[in-house]
Amino acid sequence: MTARTSAPASGRTVMRPVRAASATAGGAELAAFAALLAERTRAEICLLLVDGRAWTAGELARATRIAPPTATEHLNRLIAGGLLTEYRQGRHRYLRLANREVAALLETLLAHIGPPATRPSSLRAATVEAALASGRTCYDHLAGRLGVTLTEAMIVRGLLDEPNGLALTDQGSRWFAGDLGMDLSRPARNRRPLVRPCIDWTERRPHLGGAAGAHLYRRARDLEWIHPTGTGRAIRVTPAGRTAWATLLGIDPQTWDQSTPTPTLPRERDN
């Protein structure tokens, strides 16, 4: 951006650059926001909270292997930066992601980065990684191979269309209302998008987010078609879920046997 100024001595018009104050301020804010996730411990804290649950400050300190005072410092910065919110119950301080938009941002960043370049170094880490890749929650909807498989089955059956992203079809609206008991014709009070494609960071394909994705997760959980494993973010399909997904979406029940591979570790080099 430039502004014209005249130079009386020569009579010529000189073009001088003018800095856009709004752009400069926006850049500073973006840099400050990015700095919150640039520190590894703070990034780990945010990823622990992507499951949508509230964790105590002590649980987060233990999970990230840092001292409580250090955890408090990191948590305060994340709260001030708008990534986390807190509430107190008795003597406990509970933390969670500020909203679903923060969770979507974290998943988008992970999808951009791609799968980890290094393989897990222990059987426990490999088991956790395999479970999360098989099925997990992304704040309030289903992700991993579970979420992607359900989404692709809905596309095949004409419940979702993907001309540019994902869109709910008329048939899909009737399916949600009849089989899942959710009238999607009513606008959400918080104006949340009805459907939102999330690029899955382990599958590199979209899973269903938005209000429809959240309702699908809640319905499956309430009817015990899925069950949390481990810390709670990993999800497995129950026998009732196998039957339900076969009936509602035509998914072969054996699909879920193939979705949880046996974790493997790197073989040591032979000397």
Side-chain angles (χ1 to χ4, degrees):
M1 181 177 177
T2 58
R4 298 179 61 181
T5 60
S6 60
S10 63
R12 294 182 302 169
T13 299
V14 180
M15 305 299 292
R16 303 179 189 271
V18 176
R19 301 184 67 181
S22 59
T24 304
E29 292 175 356
L30 179 59
F33 182 81
L36 291 172
L37 295 174
E39 204 285 328
R40 179 172 179 173
T41 299
R42 290 196 293 272
E44 289 179 351
I45 288 173
C46 289
L47 292 181
L48 287 170
L49 296 170
V50 168
D51 62 1
R53 294 181 300 158
W55 290 50
T56 67
E59 288 171 335
L60 291 170
R62 288 190 293 273
T64 53
R65 302 169 302 281
I66 58 177
T70 304
T72 297
E73 180 181 346
H74 287 307
L75 293 173
N76 288 341
R77 290 194 61 179
L78 291 169
I79 292 169
L83 287 173
L84 302 187
T85 186
E86 69 169 338
Y87 65 93
R88 295 183 181 273
Q89 183 172 319
R91 61 186 182 87
H92 292 293
R93 181 192 192 194
Y94 288 90
L95 291 305
R96 65 188 310 167
L97 293 184
N99 49 51
R100 65 179 67 91
E101 285 75 19
V102 173
L105 172 63
L106 293 171
E107 285 277 326
T108 300
L109 290 173
L110 285 171
H112 178 75
I113 296 169
T118 58
R119 300 182 66 183
S121 58
S122 68
L123 179 59
R124 181 179 183 276
T127 301
V128 171
E129 184 178 285
L132 289 174
S134 176
R136 65 183 182 276
T137 54
C138 174
Y139 197 72
D140 63 356
H141 58 269
L142 295 168
R145 274 188 292 277
L146 169 59
V148 169
T149 298
L150 294 176
T151 301
E152 292 183 344
M154 294 174 72
I155 293 172
V156 169
R157 294 180 80 86
L159 309 179
L160 293 173
D161 193 14
E162 52 174 355
N164 295 298
L166 286 179
L168 192 70
T169 65
D170 292 340
Q171 182 181 349
S173 295
R174 292 191 294 270
W175 183 81
F176 266 94
D179 292 318
L180 295 183
M182 181 184 185
D183 184 1
L184 296 178
S185 64
R186 299 178 180 178
R189 285 178 293 181
N190 59 3
R191 297 184 180 180
R192 184 180 188 183
L194 188 58
V195 296
R196 180 183 181 276
C198 296
I199 299 299
D200 198 279
W201 66 273
T202 53
E203 291 296 294
R204 317 296 286 175
R205 292 175 291 168
H207 61 250
L208 178 63
H215 181 77
L216 180 66
Y217 163 62
R218 288 195 302 269
R219 189 65 170 161
R221 181 195 60 197
D222 294 344
L223 294 176
E224 297 185 349
W225 295 347
I226 55 176
H227 193 272
T229 63
T231 61
R233 190 183 179 197
I235 297 290
R236 65 175 177 83
V237 178
T238 66
R242 293 168 180 256
T243 301
W245 300 133
T247 302
L248 296 175
L249 295 174
I251 300 175
D252 186 343
Q254 294 184 350
T255 299
W256 311 117
D257 295 326
Q258 302 167 3
S259 66
T260 309
T262 301
T264 56
L265 294 175
R267 296 182 59 183
E268 296 183 359
R269 293 182 179 179
D270 296 329
N271 294 327

